[in-house]
Amino acid sequence: MIKRLANRLLRWYLHPDFYPDISGDLEELYLRNRAASPLVADWKYMLQVIVLFRPSLMRTFFKNSIIKDTGMLKNYFKIGVRSLLKQKAFTFINVMGLAVGLAAFLLIQQYVKFEESYDRHFADSDQLYRLTTDQVVDSVLGTRDAMSFAPSGKALVEEVPEIIDATTTYQFGGLIFRKGESFVTEERVIAVDEHFLNLFTYEVLSGNTASLLSEPNSLVLSESKARFYFESQDPVGKTIYLQDFEKDFKVAGVIADPGQNTHYKFDILMAISTIKERLDEEAWNGYNYYTYVKLDKEANIDNIRPMLPALSKKYMGEDNTLVFNLQPVIDIHLYSDLTFEPEIHGSARAVSFLNLISIFILVIAWVNYVNLSTARSFDRAKEVGIRKVVGARRNQLVFQFMTEAFMINVLGALLALGLAELALPSFNNLISKEILDHAWNDEGFLNNVGLFAFVGTLVSGVYPALVLSGFRPVMVLKGKFRNSRQGIWLRKGLVVLQFAASLSLIACTFIVYQQVSFMRSKDIGMSIDQIVGFRGPRSNNEDFAAQTQKRTLFAEELKNHPEIKGVAMISNLPGGGSSDVNSSSGGIKIVGKTDLLEATTYILYVNDEVIDLLDINLLFGRNFDRTRGIDTATVLVNESFIKRFGLEVNETIVNEKIQFGKNPENPKWNIVGIVEDVNRSSLKNAVEPTVYFYNDAPPQVMVKLEAGKYQEGLDALAATWDQFFPSAPLKYAFLDERFDGLYQEDKRFGSVFGAFSVLALIVATLGLFGLSSFMAIQRTKEVGVRKVLGASVGHIIGIFYKDFLSLIIMAFLVGAPLIYFGMNDWLDGYAYRISFPWLFLGLSLFIVLAIALLTVGYQVYKVAVLDPSKTLRYE
């Protein structure tokens, strides 16, 4: 890729008379270097081609234009090189600023492109929709669920002609596979029907495509899992033993790895007919499945959606408040915020913020060039005047200055490519995704480098070129030339823009970090320190009573170890995502006290030790008691459950009864206690109205370890596990780490935001450094006169400060409203949020102010301390 690009560049600029000899010599050197390292050889070849880019070797480019021959073009480049070398400091600032700005812009754009690419790689991806379930009561939209009923996809294909295919899938919570003599827990296993690969067009690497996933007890492995279990062998036709089902499953095929940019990730596919009994049993009674449909190319989704409410009632009953809905698959990752999502989704708002950062950084870099170029107009005025006197036309002068802009931008682009390559490992680590292996061999990245070098030349070069070429030679050569008022105001406006952007980015970074810290440190209503959680083994061939008894004996044995403070069991561990909980949407009421409320109620099954182990505050009533047989018909409820009915939380609710559904014959459950609200999941969401049911031995186990004896406690846990479940691997997680994992996306967003905000400030500071340096040099004689008249160094620095202080205050007035409204809108996306932190706005202003004053002060001080006799020698 690098060598091919270099060859194109060489053939483009090199004179045809020189090309055969020079290209031959370069090829010989390339082959010699390639023997040592192909990568190094490619880059050396590119460097040699760039070094040969000199006027004496160039072809004639333009005919019948403002450039009459190659000599004129050579002259432009020669003058450009001299001008850049004459002002080395300004050249360095411009090139470095453009390089950092462009590298940051392109890296962020690569990440934005990745986030927006989710599920777009499937054939006909714009025709794929997920069937979701909305709760609508009295025309008011309530809970929106990402899941649907098992038969719903088939029903829609039969009822709606525009829906041409559908697939039903089920996501397991982790299954145990045997590899050799050991067991492995696979977390990403989904059951799918034979239509799945018709909609999600993964490449089939091995197996009969027509019959994949059609037989029960069959699997399709991803390419990486096929290597993991069978190494270099062909796995098709071989078997893998599944502990949960206690039987061998046949491998029917191998497909390409799903990749990172899909919302529904998996490693292994299982034929959904394996769990046919479950599908038939739940049918239209429970929506626990992800269903996807494919629309005809000519179908209009706006015509299909109005049909869904009637279909919902046809299959779920006239009194049901649940309604089908269709959601574009390509929108799920960034725009979906439904309950029971298969993974923690991304954020379109966060992507938009990062996109804005990248544009800010690039604009700041371009602004630097415009500011420095126009500020130096006084130095270039005599050059322009003389050129015009000897016959140069304005369009020729424009081309001269555009050539200089082109050279600066090309140098910046090449350096940006190098910086991006160096920063890529750190960037991938920062976003926790491998979005790019190398910048130098990715065609899309290289195309963007070239494109924005060209765009940068136009954006940053046109205005300075027009200004510099427009000087009147009479005024210049008479010494009456002065910088125009319009030019001065433009530079000041651009400086205000730079610092408004820098101020906004710094303030936003502080606010993001504060919100994430707030969520991670807020009291969630329960104690999760020193507690590990894990799922007990499952067996399809062992009856429920036997599994319950074994888990109970296992828990009792753990309590005999002094390193373990307590053991409790629960249906869903705290710290899970939106899908890690049970729920009911059939309506609920407090008998004799409220009407039926059509809303989703969340359900946890717990034993009588959960409340004490997690230190959940019992407000009224009592906890469960396993010695009371009656507790199998009792429940605990949280505050949110009661408040949702508009009732006051007090002891009068205790001993009232709740009933699910509309049938008056449904069971009634006695409320024996009210617990304080606890956040079982992310603080992005409000506490869910929750009912706690008693269960002797739910599937998830929580073990609290003695402080200071973590390792001994974990060793005791592992030994006891092996004693009761020798054929199953133990996989545990600390609850505080589970909660911390819920905020990975927010922490990642804050880290990326912070890192690139610092880069934006560095680029802005580089520009200010150059501008203040040039202004200080330009006003050297003024400083000398002031010193002769008695001005102190501090007084002189203060004069310069006055100009920049006013610009920073203006930047604050521009940036503050944007920060307030933008970040308030972002914070409103969280159920638990901080108040707008005005302190951080002031701190951001202080940081920008300090950096600006230090930068300006340093440059002015160097001039202010000069001896007036030297600065006024030629006056």
Side-chain angles (χ1 to χ4, degrees), residues 475-544:
M475 300 295 292
V476 170
L477 298 179
K478 284 184 176 181
K480 296 181 179 180
F481 168 76
R482 293 291 183 271
N483 281 321
S484 69
R485 184 178 296 275
Q486 292 87 347
I488 293 171
W489 278 110
L490 174 68
R491 285 198 297 278
K492 288 183 176 181
L494 293 176
V495 171
V496 168
L497 174 65
Q498 280 186 316
F499 280 106
S502 301
L503 180 73
S504 300
L505 293 176
I506 294 170
C508 292
T509 300
F510 281 138
I511 294 170
V512 170
Y513 273 109
Q514 181 71 4
Q515 174 63 23
V516 174
S517 298
F518 168 77
M519 292 190 297
R520 295 174 66 190
S521 61
K522 186 182 182 297
D523 180 14
I524 59 174
M526 58 182 165
S527 175
I528 57 174
D529 294 335
Q530 306 154 29
I531 298 178
V532 295
F534 50 90
R535 173 183 285 278
R538 293 174 295 191
S539 173
N540 283 6
N541 295 334
E542 192 173 45
D543 63 54
F544 179 77

Coordinates of all heavy atoms in Angstrom, one line a residue, residues 475-544:
M475 N 1.1 52.1 -1.6 CA 1.1 52.3 -0.1 C 2.2 51.6 0.6 O 2.8 52.1 1.5 CB -0.3 51.8 0.4 CG -1.5 52.5 -0.2 SD -1.6 54.2 0.3 CE -1.9 54.1 2.0
V476 N 2.5 50.4 0.1 CA 3.5 49.5 0.7 C 4.9 50.2 0.6 O 5.6 50.4 1.6 CB 3.5 48.1 0.2 CG1 4.7 47.3 0.6 CG2 2.2 47.4 0.5
L477 N 5.2 50.6 -0.6 CA 6.6 51.1 -0.9 C 6.8 52.5 -0.4 O 7.9 52.9 -0.2 CB 6.9 51.0 -2.4 CG 6.8 49.6 -3.0 CD1 7.1 49.6 -4.5 CD2 7.8 48.7 -2.3
K478 N 5.7 53.2 -0.1 CA 5.8 54.5 0.6 C 5.9 54.4 2.1 O 6.1 55.4 2.8 CB 4.6 55.4 0.2 CG 4.7 56.0 -1.2 CD 3.5 57.0 -1.4 CE 3.7 57.6 -2.8 NZ 2.5 58.6 -3.0
G479 N 5.8 53.1 2.6 CA 5.9 52.9 4.0 C 4.6 53.3 4.7 O 4.6 53.5 6.0
K480 N 3.5 53.4 4.0 CA 2.2 53.8 4.6 C 1.3 52.6 4.9 O 0.2 52.8 5.3 CB 1.5 54.8 3.7 CG 2.2 56.1 3.6 CD 1.4 57.1 2.7 CE 2.2 58.4 2.6 NZ 1.4 59.4 1.7
F481 N 1.8 51.4 4.7 CA 1.0 50.2 4.8 C 0.8 50.0 6.3 O 1.7 50.1 7.1 CB 1.6 49.0 4.2 CG 1.0 47.7 4.6 CD1 -0.3 47.4 4.0 CD2 1.5 46.9 5.6 CE1 -0.9 46.2 4.4 CE2 0.9 45.7 5.9 CZ -0.3 45.4 5.4
R482 N -0.5 49.7 6.7 CA -0.8 49.3 8.0 C -1.8 48.1 7.9 O -2.6 47.9 7.0 CB -1.5 50.4 8.8 CG -0.6 51.6 9.1 CD 0.4 51.2 10.1 NE 1.2 52.4 10.5 CZ 2.3 52.8 9.8 NH1 2.7 52.1 8.8 NH2 3.0 53.8 10.2
N483 N -1.7 47.2 8.9 CA -2.7 46.1 9.0 C -4.1 46.7 9.0 O -4.4 47.6 9.8 CB -2.5 45.2 10.2 CG -1.3 44.3 10.0 OD1 -1.2 43.7 9.0 ND2 -0.5 44.1 11.1
S484 N -5.0 46.1 8.3 CA -6.4 46.6 8.2 C -7.1 46.3 9.5 O -6.9 45.4 10.2 CB -7.1 46.0 7.0 OG -7.3 44.6 7.3
R485 N -8.1 47.2 9.7 CA -8.9 47.0 10.9 C -9.7 45.7 10.8 O -9.9 45.0 11.7 CB -9.9 48.2 11.0 CG -10.8 48.1 12.3 CD -11.7 49.4 12.3 NE -10.9 50.6 12.5 CZ -10.5 51.1 13.7 NH1 -10.7 50.4 14.8 NH2 -9.8 52.2 13.7
Q486 N -10.1 45.4 9.5 CA -10.9 44.1 9.3 C -10.0 42.9 9.7 O -10.5 41.9 10.3 CB -11.4 44.0 7.9 CG -12.4 45.0 7.5 CD -11.8 46.3 7.0 OE1 -10.6 46.6 7.2 NE2 -12.7 47.2 6.5
G487 N -8.7 43.0 9.3 CA -7.8 41.8 9.5 C -7.6 41.7 11.0 O -7.6 40.5 11.5
I488 N -7.5 42.8 11.7 CA -7.2 42.7 13.2 C -8.5 42.1 13.9 O -8.3 41.2 14.7 CB -6.9 44.1 13.7 CG1 -5.6 44.6 13.2 CG2 -6.9 44.1 15.3 CD1 -5.3 46.1 13.5
W489 N -9.6 42.6 13.4 CA -10.9 42.0 14.1 C -11.1 40.6 13.7 O -11.6 39.8 14.6 CB -12.1 42.8 13.6 CG -12.2 44.1 14.4 CD1 -12.1 45.4 14.0 CD2 -12.6 44.2 15.8 NE1 -12.3 46.3 15.0 CE2 -12.6 45.6 16.1 CE3 -12.9 43.3 16.8 CZ2 -12.9 46.1 17.4 CZ3 -13.3 43.7 18.0 CH2 -13.3 45.1 18.3
L490 N -10.7 40.2 12.5 CA -10.8 38.7 12.2 C -9.9 37.9 13.1 O -10.3 36.9 13.6 CB -10.4 38.5 10.7 CG -10.3 37.0 10.3 CD1 -11.7 36.4 10.3 CD2 -9.7 36.9 8.9
R491 N -8.6 38.3 13.3 CA -7.7 37.6 14.2 C -8.3 37.5 15.6 O -8.2 36.4 16.2 CB -6.3 38.2 14.2 CG -5.6 38.0 12.9 CD -4.1 38.2 13.1 NE -3.8 39.6 13.4 CZ -3.7 40.6 12.5 NH1 -3.9 40.3 11.3 NH2 -3.4 41.8 12.9
K492 N -8.8 38.6 16.0 CA -9.4 38.6 17.4 C -10.6 37.6 17.5 O -10.8 36.9 18.4 CB -9.8 40.0 17.8 CG -8.6 40.9 18.1 CD -9.1 42.3 18.6 CE -7.9 43.1 19.0 NZ -8.3 44.5 19.5
G493 N -11.4 37.7 16.4 CA -12.5 36.8 16.4 C -12.1 35.3 16.4 O -12.7 34.5 17.0
L494 N -11.1 35.0 15.6 CA -10.6 33.6 15.6 C -10.0 33.2 16.9 O -10.2 32.0 17.3 CB -9.6 33.5 14.4 CG -10.1 33.6 13.0 CD1 -9.0 33.6 12.0 CD2 -11.2 32.6 12.7
V495 N -9.3 34.1 17.6 CA -8.8 33.8 18.9 C -9.9 33.5 19.9 O -9.9 32.6 20.7 CB -7.9 34.9 19.4 CG1 -7.5 34.7 20.9 CG2 -6.6 35.0 18.6
V496 N -11.0 34.3 19.8 CA -12.1 34.1 20.7 C -12.7 32.7 20.4 O -13.1 31.9 21.3 CB -13.2 35.2 20.4 CG1 -14.5 34.8 21.1 CG2 -12.7 36.5 21.0
L497 N -12.8 32.3 19.1 CA -13.4 31.0 18.7 C -12.5 29.9 19.3 O -13.0 28.9 19.8 CB -13.4 30.9 17.2 CG -13.8 29.6 16.6 CD1 -15.2 29.2 17.0 CD2 -13.7 29.6 15.1
Q498 N -11.2 30.1 19.2 CA -10.3 29.0 19.7 C -10.5 28.8 21.2 O -10.6 27.7 21.7 CB -8.8 29.5 19.5 CG -8.3 29.2 18.1 CD -6.8 29.5 18.0 OE1 -6.4 30.5 18.5 NE2 -6.1 28.6 17.3
F499 N -10.5 29.9 21.9 CA -10.6 29.8 23.4 C -12.0 29.4 23.9 O -12.2 28.8 24.9 CB -10.1 31.1 24.1 CG -8.6 31.1 24.1 CD1 -7.9 32.0 23.3 CD2 -7.9 30.3 25.0 CE1 -6.5 32.0 23.3 CE2 -6.5 30.3 25.0 CZ -5.8 31.2 24.2
A500 N -13.0 29.8 23.1 CA -14.4 29.3 23.4 C -14.5 27.8 23.3 O -15.1 27.1 24.1 CB -15.4 30.0 22.5
A501 N -13.9 27.3 22.2 CA -13.8 25.9 22.0 C -13.0 25.2 23.1 O -13.5 24.1 23.7 CB -13.2 25.5 20.6
S502 N -11.9 25.7 23.4 CA -11.0 25.1 24.5 C -11.7 25.1 25.8 O -11.7 24.1 26.6 CB -9.7 25.8 24.6 OG -9.0 25.8 23.3
L503 N -12.3 26.2 26.1 CA -13.0 26.4 27.4 C -14.2 25.4 27.5 O -14.4 24.7 28.5 CB -13.6 27.8 27.5 CG -14.4 28.1 28.8 CD1 -13.5 28.3 30.0 CD2 -15.2 29.4 28.6
S504 N -14.9 25.2 26.4 CA -16.1 24.3 26.4 C -15.6 22.9 26.6 O -16.2 22.1 27.3 CB -16.8 24.4 25.0 OG -17.3 25.7 24.8
L505 N -14.5 22.5 25.9 CA -14.0 21.1 26.0 C -13.6 20.8 27.4 O -13.8 19.7 27.9 CB -12.9 20.9 25.0 CG -13.4 20.9 23.5 CD1 -12.2 20.8 22.6 CD2 -14.4 19.8 23.2
I506 N -12.8 21.7 28.0 CA -12.3 21.5 29.4 C -13.5 21.4 30.4 O -13.5 20.5 31.2 CB -11.4 22.6 29.8 CG1 -10.1 22.6 28.9 CG2 -11.0 22.5 31.3 CD1 -9.2 23.8 29.1
A507 N -14.4 22.3 30.3 CA -15.6 22.3 31.2 C -16.4 21.0 31.0 O -16.8 20.4 32.0 CB -16.5 23.5 30.9
C508 N -16.6 20.6 29.8 CA -17.4 19.4 29.5 C -16.7 18.1 30.1 O -17.3 17.2 30.6 CB -17.6 19.2 28.0 SG -18.8 20.5 27.3
T509 N -15.3 18.1 29.9 CA -14.6 17.0 30.5 C -14.8 16.9 32.0 O -15.0 15.8 32.5 CB -13.1 17.2 30.2 OG1 -12.9 17.2 28.7 CG2 -12.3 16.0 30.7
F510 N -14.7 18.0 32.7 CA -14.9 18.0 34.1 C -16.3 17.5 34.5 O -16.4 16.8 35.4 CB -14.7 19.5 34.7 CG -13.2 19.9 34.9 CD1 -12.8 21.1 34.5 CD2 -12.3 19.0 35.4 CE1 -11.5 21.5 34.6 CE2 -11.0 19.3 35.5 CZ -10.6 20.6 35.1
I511 N -17.3 18.0 33.8 CA -18.6 17.6 34.1 C -18.9 16.1 33.8 O -19.5 15.4 34.6 CB -19.6 18.5 33.2 CG1 -19.5 19.9 33.7 CG2 -21.1 18.0 33.4 CD1 -20.3 20.9 32.8
V512 N -18.3 15.6 32.8 CA -18.5 14.1 32.5 C -17.8 13.3 33.6 O -18.4 12.4 34.1 CB -17.8 13.8 31.1 CG1 -17.8 12.3 31.0 CG2 -18.6 14.4 30.0
Y513 N -16.6 13.7 34.0 CA -15.9 13.0 35.1 C -16.7 13.1 36.4 O -16.8 12.1 37.1 CB -14.5 13.5 35.2 CG -13.5 12.8 34.4 CD1 -12.9 13.5 33.3 CD2 -13.1 11.5 34.6 CE1 -12.0 12.9 32.4 CE2 -12.2 10.9 33.7 CZ -11.6 11.6 32.7 OH -10.7 11.0 31.9
Q514 N -17.2 14.3 36.7 CA -18.0 14.4 37.9 C -19.2 13.6 37.9 O -19.6 13.0 38.9 CB -18.4 15.9 38.0 CG -19.2 16.2 39.3 CD -18.3 16.2 40.6 OE1 -17.1 15.9 40.5 NE2 -18.9 16.4 41.7
Q515 N -20.0 13.5 36.8 CA -21.2 12.7 36.7 C -20.8 11.2 36.9 O -21.5 10.5 37.6 CB -21.9 12.9 35.4 CG -23.1 12.0 35.2 CD -24.2 12.2 36.2 OE1 -24.3 13.3 36.8 NE2 -25.0 11.2 36.3
V516 N -19.8 10.7 36.2 CA -19.4 9.3 36.4 C -19.0 9.0 37.8 O -19.3 8.0 38.4 CB -18.3 8.9 35.4 CG1 -17.8 7.5 35.6 CG2 -18.8 9.1 33.9
S517 N -18.2 9.9 38.4 CA -17.7 9.7 39.8 C -18.9 9.7 40.7 O -19.0 8.9 41.7 CB -16.8 10.8 40.2 OG -15.6 10.8 39.4
F518 N -19.9 10.6 40.5 CA -21.1 10.6 41.3 C -21.9 9.3 41.3 O -22.3 8.8 42.3 CB -22.0 11.8 40.8 CG -23.4 11.7 41.3 CD1 -23.7 12.2 42.6 CD2 -24.5 11.3 40.6 CE1 -25.0 12.1 43.2 CE2 -25.8 11.2 41.1 CZ -26.0 11.7 42.4
M519 N -22.0 8.7 40.1 CA -22.7 7.4 39.9 C -22.0 6.3 40.6 O -22.6 5.4 41.2 CB -23.0 7.1 38.5 CG -24.0 8.1 37.8 SD -24.5 7.5 36.1 CE -22.9 7.5 35.3
R520 N -20.6 6.3 40.5 CA -19.9 5.2 41.1 C -19.8 5.3 42.6 O -19.5 4.3 43.3 CB -18.4 5.3 40.5 CG -18.4 4.9 39.0 CD -17.1 5.1 38.4 NE -16.1 4.1 38.9 CZ -14.8 4.2 38.7 NH1 -14.3 5.2 38.0 NH2 -14.0 3.3 39.2
S521 N -19.9 6.5 43.1 CA -19.7 6.7 44.6 C -21.1 6.8 45.3 O -21.1 6.8 46.6 CB -18.9 7.9 44.9 OG -19.4 9.1 44.4
K522 N -22.2 7.0 44.6 CA -23.5 7.3 45.3 C -23.9 6.0 46.1 O -23.7 4.9 45.7 CB -24.5 7.6 44.3 CG -25.9 8.0 44.9 CD -26.9 8.3 43.9 CE -28.2 8.8 44.5 NZ -28.8 7.7 45.3
D523 N -24.5 6.3 47.2 CA -25.0 5.2 48.0 C -26.2 4.5 47.3 O -27.2 5.2 46.9 CB -25.5 5.7 49.4 CG -26.1 4.7 50.3 OD1 -25.9 3.5 50.0 OD2 -26.8 5.0 51.3
I524 N -26.1 3.3 47.0 CA -27.1 2.6 46.2 C -28.1 1.9 47.1 O -29.0 1.2 46.6 CB -26.5 1.6 45.2 CG1 -25.6 0.5 46.0 CG2 -25.6 2.3 44.2 CD1 -25.1 -0.6 45.1
G525 N -28.0 2.0 48.4 CA -29.0 1.5 49.3 C -28.7 0.1 49.8 O -29.4 -0.5 50.6
M526 N -27.5 -0.4 49.4 CA -27.1 -1.7 49.9 C -25.6 -1.8 50.0 O -24.9 -1.1 49.3 CB -27.7 -2.9 49.1 CG -27.3 -2.8 47.6 SD -28.0 -4.2 46.7 CE -27.8 -3.6 45.0
S527 N -25.1 -2.7 50.8 CA -23.6 -2.9 50.9 C -23.1 -4.0 50.0 O -23.6 -5.2 50.1 CB -23.3 -3.2 52.4 OG -21.9 -3.5 52.5
I528 N -22.2 -3.7 49.1 CA -21.7 -4.8 48.2 C -20.3 -5.1 48.4 O -19.7 -5.8 47.6 CB -22.0 -4.3 46.7 CG1 -21.3 -3.0 46.4 CG2 -23.5 -4.3 46.4 CD1 -21.4 -2.5 45.0
D529 N -19.6 -4.5 49.4 CA -18.2 -4.7 49.6 C -17.9 -6.1 50.0 O -18.7 -6.7 50.8 CB -17.7 -3.7 50.6 CG -17.7 -2.2 50.2 OD1 -17.7 -2.1 48.9 OD2 -17.8 -1.3 51.0
Q530 N -16.8 -6.7 49.5 CA -16.3 -8.0 50.0 C -17.3 -9.1 49.6 O -17.3 -10.2 50.3 CB -16.0 -8.0 51.5 CG -15.1 -6.9 51.9 CD -15.3 -6.5 53.4 OE1 -15.7 -7.3 54.2 NE2 -15.0 -5.3 53.7
I531 N -18.2 -8.9 48.6 CA -19.2 -9.9 48.3 C -18.9 -10.4 46.8 O -18.7 -9.6 45.9 CB -20.6 -9.4 48.3 CG1 -20.9 -9.0 49.8 CG2 -21.6 -10.5 47.8 CD1 -22.3 -8.4 49.9
V532 N -18.8 -11.7 46.7 CA -18.6 -12.3 45.3 C -19.9 -13.0 45.0 O -20.6 -13.5 45.9 CB -17.5 -13.3 45.3 CG1 -16.1 -12.6 45.5 CG2 -17.6 -14.5 46.3
G533 N -20.3 -13.0 43.7 CA -21.5 -13.6 43.2 C -21.2 -14.5 42.1 O -20.3 -14.3 41.3
F534 N -22.0 -15.6 42.0 CA -21.9 -16.5 40.9 C -23.1 -17.4 40.7 O -24.0 -17.4 41.6 CB -20.7 -17.5 41.1 CG -20.7 -18.1 42.5 CD1 -21.3 -19.3 42.7 CD2 -20.1 -17.5 43.6 CE1 -21.3 -19.9 44.0 CE2 -20.1 -18.1 44.8 CZ -20.7 -19.3 45.0
R535 N -23.3 -18.0 39.6 CA -24.4 -18.8 39.3 C -24.1 -20.3 39.7 O -23.0 -20.8 39.4 CB -24.8 -18.8 37.8 CG -25.9 -19.8 37.4 CD -26.2 -19.7 35.9 NE -26.9 -18.5 35.6 CZ -28.2 -18.4 35.7 NH1 -28.9 -19.4 36.1 NH2 -28.8 -17.3 35.3
G536 N -25.1 -20.9 40.4 CA -24.9 -22.3 40.6 C -25.1 -23.1 39.4 O -25.8 -22.7 38.4
P537 N -24.6 -24.4 39.3 CA -24.7 -25.2 38.1 C -26.2 -25.5 37.8 O -27.0 -25.7 38.7 CB -23.9 -26.4 38.4 CG -23.1 -26.1 39.6 CD -23.8 -25.0 40.3
R538 N -26.5 -25.7 36.5 CA -27.8 -26.1 36.0 C -27.7 -27.4 35.4 O -26.7 -27.8 34.8 CB -28.4 -25.1 35.0 CG -28.6 -23.7 35.6 CD -29.1 -22.8 34.5 NE -28.0 -22.5 33.5 CZ -28.1 -21.6 32.6 NH1 -29.1 -20.8 32.5 NH2 -27.1 -21.4 31.7
S539 N -28.8 -28.2 35.5 CA -28.8 -29.5 34.9 C -30.3 -29.7 34.4 O -31.2 -29.6 35.1 CB -28.4 -30.6 35.8 OG -28.7 -31.9 35.3
N540 N -30.4 -30.0 33.1 CA -31.7 -30.3 32.5 C -32.2 -31.7 32.9 O -33.4 -32.0 32.8 CB -31.7 -30.2 31.0 CG -31.7 -28.7 30.5 OD1 -31.6 -27.8 31.4 ND2 -31.8 -28.5 29.3
N541 N -31.3 -32.6 33.3 CA -31.7 -33.9 33.6 C -31.9 -34.2 35.1 O -32.2 -35.3 35.5 CB -30.6 -34.9 33.1 CG -30.6 -34.9 31.6 OD1 -31.6 -34.5 30.9 ND2 -29.4 -35.2 31.0
E542 N -31.6 -33.1 35.9 CA -31.8 -33.3 37.4 C -33.0 -32.5 37.8 O -33.2 -31.4 37.4 CB -30.6 -32.7 38.1 CG -30.5 -33.1 39.6 CD -29.1 -32.6 40.1 OE1 -28.7 -31.5 39.8 OE2 -28.5 -33.4 40.9
D543 N -33.9 -33.1 38.6 CA -35.2 -32.5 38.9 C -34.9 -31.2 39.8 O -33.9 -31.1 40.4 CB -36.2 -33.4 39.5 CG -35.7 -34.0 40.9 OD1 -35.4 -33.2 41.8 OD2 -35.6 -35.2 41.1
F544 N -35.9 -30.4 39.8 CA -35.8 -29.1 40.5 C -35.5 -29.2 41.9 O -34.7 -28.6 42.5 CB -37.1 -28.3 40.3 CG -37.1 -26.9 40.9 CD1 -36.4 -25.9 40.4 CD2 -37.8 -26.8 42.1 CE1 -36.4 -24.6 41.0 CE2 -37.8 -25.5 42.8 CZ -37.1 -24.5 42.2

